[in-house]
Amino acid sequence: MKSDYKDAGFTDFNYIPLAASGQYSIVPEFFIGADLGYALTTSGGEDGGGFYYMPKIGYQQQKWELFGGYRAVNNDVNFGAINLGFNFKF
């Protein structure tokens, strides 16, 4: 809960995700995917991090993709956010 987070003395939560990413094209233009791994906390405190995941769905073309997903870090306290992203492909 957000109150647990503030009661622990945190004013901000930052992390570095270390994850593998994969995606599967349902049809050539649409895909589903997920990032799975571990997130290292850079905000201090006793927690070193937690399980990191981001399921996503998107629309893709040859040079770019647009996706939406839910990014979360789970440990004793869970943090999550809804994401909208744009990737260029090289």
Side-chain angles (χ1 to χ4, degrees), residues 23-86:
Q23 68 183 42
Y24 174 76
S25 294
I26 301 168
V27 294
E29 294 85 19
F30 292 97
F31 68 88
I32 57 172
D35 296 359
L36 298 173
Y38 189 79
L40 299 170
T41 304
T42 61
S43 301
E46 294 180 16
D47 272 349
F51 177 66
Y52 168 81
Y53 64 95
M54 181 177 160
K56 56 188 170 183
I57 187 166
Y59 177 79
Q60 64 185 348
Q61 291 294 310
Q62 185 176 0
K63 299 276 184 180
W64 57 270
E65 64 186 27
L66 177 68
F67 67 91
Y70 178 76
R71 182 179 306 217
V73 177
N74 288 335
N75 201 340
D76 293 336
V77 180
N78 300 326
F79 298 95
I82 296 173
N83 289 256
L84 181 63
F86 186 85

